[in-house]
Amino acid sequence: MPRAFLVVMDSVGCGGAPDADRFFNDGHPDTGANTLGHIAAACAAGKAEVGRSGPLRMPNLSALGLGQAVRIASGTEVPGLSAPAHGLWGAATEVSPGKDTPSGHWELAGLPVPWDWTYFSETENSFPPELIEEVKRIAGTDGILGNRHASGTLIIDVEGERHQQTGWPICYTSADSVFQIAAHEETFGLDRLYDLCEKLAPTLHAMRVGRVIARPFVGDPGAYTRTPNRHDYAIMPPAPTLCDWVQGAGRKVHAVGKIGDIFSMRGIDDAVKGADSTLMGHLSDLVDQAEEGSLTFANFVEFDSVYGHRRDVSGYAHHLEWFDAEIGPILARLRPDDLMIFTADHGNDPTWIGTDHTRERVPVLGKGPQSGQIGLCAFTDVAASIAAHLGVPSQGPGKSFL
């Protein structure tokens, strides 16, 4: 039986979202945001020169049709990504009313979000008093720190020392539907942080807040660093997704990266986590070892978490080139009847104003038994196409592009 690999390059959007004017960064609409297009343009103009020079170099994904995908999504010519396309290529448009991780992944898996998320819109004093009291009750503390919109790396620099002195958890949010808690692994305790997030999650989920995220860190004042032990407590998908369809047909579903958290392990047999470099090794192993008829669903998050939110154009460019170089040998080892699809869940244009995700279309690239232009498609078409490839009934609104 054929196998399928769905690889999400977190935040690697390609512009052109028709509703971008309804989504904002620091009060400015996302109209014109284009993660891939603007990074490639910066590289070609010598504006992403730290440790590199010349056009963006992604020969493997370019050969599948990456440049053509950006062009069809946004009308943008991408310097350096003009190779003839030999794979499946197109771009997908999202309909869910959010530009966040669960919205993008659920819709790629065949389930558009059926409700409006709850957001903490106030940038200061973001959380209602009753929620703060619940955090304090569960944590057993007299207070919390943060209570505002913040970058996860900056807030531990600002609040980390006081956190270690008081034992109070650092609570913060962003433009996404999320409640994040940062705590020191040693002085607060990793298990205690997980317990706090797990017990708090039902309250947030009942409010339609998408995720409670544990953000552990280590180190001393002036030298704090986040660890790979992040854990997302996401609201359960309200209906079956691609993972359930495949598992329900008696096939295996392997999760790589934060996929297990995003789907609350529903429809997933096993999961592995780690830095993107570690995850690339896991994906490579699964190409060699995954069972016939199985689905491997992977997320590479550092495009978003390390470079996009920090508006690091050079770092993002380096990571794109690293990913492309690493994926080349993996593509070469796919079996003739395997299908590997590359896509993204939203954008995070590092040239854009603000620090939040950007509303964009996303590339859809495939290597498998078929090739050619997909054109513009829906996020849900990705799930329908993988289901068709695996011979599994699709239960969502998407249509197969195979």
Side-chain angles (χ1 to χ4, degrees):
M1 292 185 289
R3 305 179 301 172
F5 301 84
L6 176 55
V7 180
V8 177
M9 301 179 294
D10 202 300
S11 86
V12 183
C14 55
D19 58 358
D21 61 329
R22 295 176 40 232
F23 296 83
F24 295 86
N25 263 274
D26 283 355
H28 296 267
D30 286 343
T31 306
N34 189 331
T35 300
L36 274 166
H38 288 159
I39 291 171
C43 291
K47 296 179 180 178
E49 67 279 356
V50 181
R52 66 171 322 283
S53 61
L56 186 65
R57 295 178 289 270
M58 300 181 66
N60 292 300
L61 294 189
S62 180
L64 294 181
L66 182 57
Q68 288 85 342
V70 180
R71 186 184 309 122
I72 199 171
S74 58
T76 303
E77 294 292 334
V78 187
L81 303 183
S82 58
H86 301 295
L88 279 168
W89 59 270
T93 306
E94 185 176 11
V95 300
S96 295
K99 52 176 179 176
D100 55 86
T101 293
S103 295
H105 283 79
W106 288 6
E107 194 167 330
L108 289 169
L111 178 65
V113 176
W115 55 61
D116 288 328
W117 296 108
T118 295
Y119 301 93
F120 299 107
S121 57
E122 297 295 328
T123 56
E124 297 287 340
N125 298 315
S126 302
F127 307 126
E130 58 272 19
L131 180 58
I132 294 173
E133 290 302 315
E134 182 67 1
V135 176
K136 289 160 57 178
R137 184 190 68 80
I138 297 171
T141 60
D142 295 328
I144 68 168
L145 301 173
N147 190 16
R148 61 182 182 270
H149 284 223
S151 159
T153 52
L154 294 179
I155 200 167
I156 61 174
D157 290 339
V158 174
E159 302 282 10
E161 184 172 8
R162 190 173 176 214
H163 161 72
Q164 288 191 280
Q165 292 169 348
T166 64
W168 295 1
I170 304 170
C171 303
Y172 63 104
T173 188
S174 69
D176 286 346
S177 179
V178 65
F179 189 95
Q180 304 191 75
I181 305 179
H184 199 282
E185 284 195 0
E186 297 165 1
T187 57
F188 190 89
L190 183 60
D191 289 340
R192 184 184 174 197
L193 174 60
Y194 287 163
D195 183 69
L196 170 58
C197 292
E198 183 176 7
K199 290 178 178 176
L200 185 65
T203 298
L204 274 299
H205 294 167
M207 297 167 60
R208 293 285 188 249
V209 174
R211 289 176 292 163
V212 178
I213 305 180
R215 291 285 200 174
F217 64 96
V218 294
D220 299 309
Y224 293 121
T225 58
R226 296 200 294 193
T227 76
N229 294 322
R230 163 184 170 160
H231 189 84
D232 292 34
Y233 297 82
I235 192 169
M236 185 78 70
T241 70
L242 173 66
C243 302
D244 301 293
W245 311 346
V246 174
Q247 194 180 66
R251 316 285 185 82
K252 293 291 186 180
V253 179
H254 306 291
V256 177
K258 63 179 183 178
I259 297 298
D261 291 347
I262 294 167
F263 292 91
S264 298
M265 288 301 293
R266 195 172 106 176
I268 292 170
D269 290 284
D270 52 67
V272 290
K273 293 184 177 182
D276 278 6
S277 57
T278 301
L279 299 180
M280 190 65 76
H282 289 305
L283 179 61
S284 179
D285 291 342
L286 283 162
V287 165
D288 292 335
Q289 301 168 10
E291 305 85 352
E292 291 189 4
S294 64
L295 168 66
T296 295
F297 197 166
N299 172 283
F300 288 82
V301 73
E302 290 176 12
F303 299 105
D304 183 63
S305 62
V306 179
Y307 307 109
H309 287 297
R310 300 182 193 180
R311 297 302 189 246
D312 181 352
V313 179
S314 179
Y316 209 129
H318 276 289
H319 206 60
L320 286 167
E321 293 179 339
W322 166 83
F323 182 90
D324 189 85
E326 293 290 322
I327 209 66
I330 293 174
L331 286 169
R333 299 203 316 277
L334 290 174
R335 300 173 186 172
D337 59 353
D338 285 342
L339 172 65
M340 181 172 283
I341 288 181
F342 300 91
T343 187
D345 52 342
H346 49 71
N348 201 345
D349 187 341
T351 72
W352 210 242
I353 192 169
T355 60
D356 298 323
H357 297 152
T358 43
R359 182 72 161 190
E360 301 179 40
R361 286 184 169 124
V362 299
V364 179
L365 309 175
K367 180 177 181 181
Q370 302 179 45
S371 61
Q373 179 176 338
I374 298 167
L376 293 177
C377 64
F379 271 43
T380 53
D381 293 348
V382 173
S385 302
I386 290 175
H389 176 75
L390 294 176
V392 172
S394 172
Q395 301 173 37
K399 298 179 180 180
S400 173
F401 48 67
L402 297 180

